[in-house]
Amino acid sequence: MNATGGRTWRSVTSEQTADDSRSSVPASESRPAHFAVRAWYAFRMLRLRSQVQPTDVPAVRSGDPLADRILLVGNGPSHGWGVVTHQHALTGQLADAVAARTHRACDVDLIGAEAMNVRSALAWIGDRELRGDDSVVLMIGFNDALRLTPVAVWKRELRGRVDGITAR
């Protein structure tokens, strides 16, 4: 983006002359940029296998049958990178924060995977009955950003996911 909020364009060719008929494309759409980000992403995913992550059930339960129920659908950081239990991960922190604010118990379930993106989120929910959940929180976009998904595509896909969840 430039100072006026417009898109900054950069040629992806190494040499360009004044009469060059090739069109310029945004830097975010260049093949070298995509390749570099995808290579970094693949390397990062391999490294995550050796990072500390929760090994328990991806849910936090209060034990209260009247607890508020939240379904967290997410990828990336929602999985608890760097902690050993979901109680310490986003699931537990969300349950604690909601309970502190509402003064009611809160249960949180996590559905997702590291590879989830906005397009695959609804498939990860599958045929889960959502009527028992008081709220659904979508924490998606991390992988889409790393994959350089165009914003217009991401917005359209996100709207489709929200509409798909709302219809259920």
Side-chain angles (χ1 to χ4, degrees):
M1 297 293 241
N2 62 25
T4 62
R7 194 174 228 179
T8 301
W9 294 86
R10 176 178 67 90
S11 174
V12 295
T13 60
S14 58
E15 295 179 19
Q16 189 170 7
T17 61
D19 63 342
D20 195 343
S21 61
R22 292 176 289 191
S23 64
S24 296
V25 296
S28 65
E29 295 176 15
S30 72
R31 292 194 191 279
H34 269 146
F35 177 78
V37 170
R38 286 177 188 235
W40 175 84
Y41 176 76
F43 177 72
R44 181 75 178 130
M45 292 304 288
L46 285 173
R47 288 197 56 205
L48 279 175
R49 292 182 181 166
S50 65
Q51 298 292 318
V52 173
Q53 292 184 15
T55 57
D56 57 345
V57 175
V60 174
R61 296 284 182 260
S62 65
D64 186 341
L66 299 176
D68 291 331
R69 302 258 333 197
I70 297 175
L71 173 62
L72 173 62
V73 179
N75 63 6
S78 65
H79 287 273
W81 294 340
V83 297
V84 295
T85 72
H86 282 282
Q87 184 66 43
H88 295 130
L90 182 60
T91 48
Q93 299 306 306
L94 180 60
D96 290 347
V98 169
R101 182 144 181 126
T102 64
H103 304 289
R104 294 187 307 267
C106 182
D107 295 343
V108 177
D109 291 332
L110 170 66
I111 292 179
E114 296 298 334
M116 178 193 288
N117 62 12
V118 69
R119 184 168 287 162
S120 67
L122 203 53
W124 279 97
I125 295 171
D127 59 359
R128 177 188 168 114
E129 177 59 56
L130 299 177
R131 290 187 194 138
D133 296 310
D134 297 303
S135 180
V136 176
V137 175
L138 296 176
M139 187 175 162
I140 51 179
F142 184 79
N143 288 335
D144 297 286
L146 290 176
R147 293 173 180 158
L148 300 176
T149 302
V151 173
V153 171
W154 189 83
K155 284 181 178 180
R156 184 178 63 246
E157 293 290 337
L158 180 61
R159 172 55 46 206
R161 298 309 73 90
V162 171
D163 291 346
I165 290 169
T166 303
R168 295 168 70 178

